[in-house]
Amino acid sequence: MTALSGGHLAADFASGSVPALIPFLTDRFDLSYALAALLLLAATVSSSLVQPLFGLLSDRHGAVWLIPGGVMLAAAGVGGAAVSPLYPLVLVLVFLGGLGIAAFHPEGAKFAAYASGRKRASGMSYFNVGGNTGYALGAFVTGQLVVWLGLAGGLLAMAPVAMVAVALAWLAPRLSALVGRAHASTAGGGEDRPRAMALLSAVIALRSVAWFTLLAFVPLWLVSRGHSTADGNRVLFLMLLAGAVGTLLLGPVADRIGLRRTLVLTQVAVAPLELAFVYVGGTVGTIALMLVGVCVVGTFGVTMVLSQLYLPRHVGLASGISVGLAMGIGGVAAVVLGAVADSIDLQTALTISAAAPAIGVVFCLRLPAPAVQAPERAEARAPALTVPVD
């Protein structure tokens, strides 16, 4: 579990570096809001939308090599993008780095699911806290290195990510030992429920519209309000750090009060908190933004466990959909809202993005309870499935 969480940290460190690089690349290439958001789209399409394909590969064949290989490709792509002299080449390299991130997640999440123990939401939170912490550190560390060293600092930031990839390759045989347990746990795990998965995907997608819009435009919004780029990146880091803390807090909460109840409560809060950040600002706005991080990032583990319970026969695919495909829609929406920001203003784009998670509450309330194995079967085959789901 430590290795998997550490790999998640490294992969998402690379992923989190992309939003931090956007303001500096915007200045370097004199980009519009839409072209700046296109950088995030390139990362999102490759790192998110193709994850279900890697999930299918994981379910059908297993591919432990995707864990170290994905982390290494992420480091190479994002590091190369930071120092590329041409904007089109930046897009290509960001896309390749995103493919590495996509390769890691379904395989890593599948193994983490069966290494989680009886309290599955808590266990997946431990896996996700690595990724959430990595994303926050990537945004902050890469931003600071670029401030100090120029865009070459982005390449330097990827050095520890590459080192983690080497360590994961060395640990691959130990990780492979989880495969037998994974197959035993999925055997007889119930029928897939695609309609429930579709509802959950809608919830995640609508919430991610607000999330990815904030990732793309929080630093640029603060710059437009008279703050420095470094200030913008610091506030972005606080949002992501709060999300990492929220992961540790909300996993045990979900185990205690139920997965769906936790998801509904946090979903309701996202829209008003985002509007407070935009229209109130200051310290109150920063705190509201941090609470958005708690509500969204803190429930990544909750949505992942729900997706795996809705698709018990295709755990890798479920992880790819919940982490990748559904969230990737948010990256597409960020580009559309970037065009809105160009044609109207950024405040309008951020306001529109807040409407999406409010609509998602309707879908969230319609989520069915996932089928849970009987206690004796759960104990013998998949003890991690014995979690409250209301």
Side-chain angles (χ1 to χ4, degrees):
M1 200 66 183
T2 301
L4 291 167
S5 185
H8 201 184
L9 187 152
D12 281 9
F13 184 98
S15 182
S17 296
V18 175
L21 290 171
I22 286 176
F24 302 98
L25 293 170
T26 298
D27 290 340
R28 180 175 185 178
F29 297 108
D30 192 24
L31 303 178
S32 66
Y33 283 129
L35 287 178
L38 191 59
L39 290 171
L40 189 63
L41 176 63
T44 301
V45 167
S46 57
S47 67
S48 299
L49 296 182
V50 300
Q51 275 196 40
L53 298 179
F54 286 107
L56 283 173
L57 175 65
S58 171
D59 287 329
R60 291 179 180 178
H61 307 293
V64 178
W65 60 269
L66 289 174
I67 294 176
V71 174
M72 182 61 76
L73 182 58
V78 176
V83 295
S84 172
L86 301 173
Y87 176 72
L89 184 57
V90 171
L91 285 175
V92 171
L93 289 168
V94 166
F95 186 87
L96 290 175
L99 285 179
I101 295 163
F104 170 85
H105 279 87
E107 191 78 356
K110 184 174 77 171
F111 284 155
Y114 301 108
S116 294
R118 295 181 61 86
K119 295 185 177 180
R120 193 166 183 179
S122 297
M124 292 304 294
S125 291
Y126 299 145
F127 173 70
N128 279 313
V129 76
N132 298 335
T133 303
Y135 203 102
L137 288 174
F140 178 74
V141 172
T142 301
Q144 293 302 309
L145 286 174
V146 174
V147 168
W148 297 335
L149 304 174
L151 281 165
L155 179 61
L156 179 61
M158 293 302 105
V161 177
M163 293 172 63
V164 171
V166 173
L168 288 171
W170 180 70
L171 290 169
R174 297 187 184 183
L175 296 176
S176 297
L178 293 174
V179 173
R181 180 178 178 182
H183 288 321
S185 298
T186 53
E191 295 297 324
D192 288 345
R193 303 173 68 185
R195 182 179 178 275
M197 189 66 217
L199 285 172
L200 179 61
S201 297
V203 173
I204 300 170
L206 288 166
R207 187 176 65 177
S208 72
V209 171
W211 180 247
F212 276 92
T213 301
L214 290 171
L215 286 179
F217 297 127
V218 160
L220 295 175
W221 168 252
L222 290 173
V223 168
S224 74
R225 310 303 289 180
H227 299 276
S228 68
T229 301
D231 289 337
N233 275 326
R234 278 192 287 269
V235 172
L236 181 65
F237 169 72
L238 288 174
M239 178 182 76
L240 295 169
L241 181 63
V245 174
T247 301
L248 291 176
L249 294 176
L250 293 182
V253 168
D255 280 326
R256 180 176 294 274
I257 72 171
L259 297 168
R260 291 184 302 164
R261 187 174 291 117
T262 302
L263 187 58
V264 169
L265 292 174
T266 54
Q267 184 80 17
V268 167
V270 173
L273 289 171
E274 183 180 359
L275 293 175
F277 166 68
V278 174
Y279 288 96
V280 178
T283 301
V284 172
T286 300
I287 293 173
L289 190 66
M290 293 172 68
L291 290 175
V292 170
V294 171
C295 292
V296 176
V297 180
T299 52
F300 280 179
V302 172
T303 56
M304 190 179 295
V305 172
L306 274 173
S307 70
Q308 292 169 347
L309 291 172
Y310 287 148
L311 298 180
R313 295 184 179 274
H314 295 87
V315 176
L317 177 62
S319 301
I321 292 174
S322 64
V323 179
L325 180 63
M327 290 193 66
I329 295 172
V332 177
V335 174
V336 175
L337 290 171
V340 171
D342 286 329
S343 59
I344 305 177
D345 56 46
L346 189 52
Q347 186 178 59
T348 300
L350 290 167
T351 301
I352 293 173
S353 75
I359 297 171
V361 173
V362 178
F363 294 95
C364 200
L365 291 171
R366 298 182 64 187
L367 288 173
V372 181
Q373 293 172 307
E376 64 273 11
R377 291 180 63 194
E379 183 67 27
R381 298 188 181 201
L385 292 178
T386 55
V387 293
V389 294
D390 288 336

